[in-house]
Amino acid sequence: MAMLRELRERVLEAGMRLRTYDLIVMAGGTVAARDPETNLCVITPSGMEYETLRWDDMCVIDIETLELVDGYRRPSCACDMFTKVLRARPDILCVTHSHSRYATAFAVCDREIPVVTTTHGNLVGGPVPCTHWVHPDPHEERYLQDIVDTMGDGYAVNIRNHGLVVGGPTVEEAIENIITCEVSAQTAFIAEQLGNPYYLTMDEADRAHRFAKSIVGQHIK
């Protein structure tokens, strides 16, 4: 029996939602999830469109060495980036990545995505900052560390001239967060064409986040 089948199915479903919500084209998105019991990472395969995939196409890798533990596909070429975030943030069990249009436009302009709605505050918390430089070369440690440092204790970061990296406590929450970031970027773009939009302050965003985490969802004991 293949390892971590349930988690692999959830990762594949998350990748399909990236396509459903128009956050990716072709094979341009990634989902990586850490199993808290084994500390192994399930990650989508490199260069394959989600419509062609099955659960057993998802790769199981060692979160430290990045070696393939189970599966027969080559894992994402950015395994080092996603596992770097997962190792640095024990509270994050899933990291998602896309090159969605509006969020990437903010990254191209080196602008943070503001907290445009209370919904953004509810789910993501604060604004989405950009990393500090464009990096077209193979990943270096300082580049990877910049992603972690820029994310800080938040859930999202926008890589300069590239796209979003967004996490969450579960696979499903990570996908909700990355969808919210893209919707916020699109809403901010539209609002700025209309006039002088009001963006939530850090205090307002934090209050919205704490409120939502205390009351939204089915956390019934």
Side-chain angles (χ1 to χ4, degrees):
M1 183 176 179
M3 297 176 64
L4 302 176
R5 175 166 180 164
E6 180 184 0
L7 185 57
R8 290 161 95 168
E9 289 175 342
R10 289 167 64 200
V11 165
L12 175 57
E13 175 62 26
M16 294 294 291
R17 288 186 69 192
L18 291 177
R19 173 74 84 190
T20 298
Y21 284 90
D22 201 27
L23 268 67
I24 61 173
V25 295
M26 297 182 292
T30 307
V31 181
R34 177 168 60 87
D35 175 54
E37 294 184 5
T38 64
N39 209 34
L40 295 173
C41 177
V42 173
I43 191 166
T44 47
S46 177
M48 298 187 70
E49 297 193 29
Y50 288 103
E51 289 84 353
T52 68
L53 300 179
R54 294 165 26 98
W55 69 268
D56 54 351
D57 289 308
M58 304 300 104
C59 307
V60 181
I61 64 171
D62 186 299
I63 202 168
E64 299 288 344
T65 67
L66 311 186
E67 293 179 356
L68 186 66
V69 175
D70 194 47
Y72 58 95
R73 300 292 189 187
R74 178 183 294 175
S76 165
C77 62
C79 285
D80 53 355
M81 178 169 67
F82 306 117
T83 55
K84 180 79 171 178
V85 174
L86 291 170
R87 291 195 305 270
R89 293 286 301 276
D91 59 315
I92 288 178
L93 289 181
C94 182
V95 176
T96 59
H97 174 54
S98 77
H99 313 132
S100 54
R101 295 169 182 84
Y102 285 87
T104 303
F106 273 78
V108 169
C109 294
D110 192 19
R111 283 189 54 187
E112 71 176 18
I113 301 171
V115 184
V116 297
T117 64
T118 53
T119 302
H120 180 136
N122 292 154
L123 295 176
V124 181
V128 181
C130 289
T131 55
H132 293 91
W133 67 86
V134 179
H135 190 81
D137 307 301
H139 294 172
E140 300 171 353
E141 177 58 28
R142 65 187 186 118
Y143 168 76
L144 299 176
Q145 190 62 48
D146 183 45
I147 293 168
V148 171
D149 292 344
T150 304
M151 178 181 281
D153 60 0
Y155 283 133
V157 61
N158 212 359
I159 301 175
R160 287 281 306 277
N161 292 73
H162 188 73
L164 289 166
V165 173
V166 183
T170 66
V171 175
E172 293 73 25
E173 287 173 282
I175 288 295
E176 287 182 353
N177 289 346
I178 196 170
I179 293 168
T180 299
C181 290
E182 173 63 11
V183 171
S184 289
Q186 184 173 7
T187 303
F189 176 83
I190 295 169
E192 290 182 4
Q193 312 312 304
L194 294 175
N196 186 28
Y198 177 82
Y199 298 139
L200 274 68
T201 66
M202 286 297 297
D203 177 66
E204 289 167 334
D206 182 60
R207 283 156 48 199
H209 189 65
R210 285 187 282 111
F211 166 72
K213 294 306 177 184
S214 69
I215 199 170
V216 176
Q218 299 296 313
H219 307 295
I220 300 173
K221 293 184 179 179

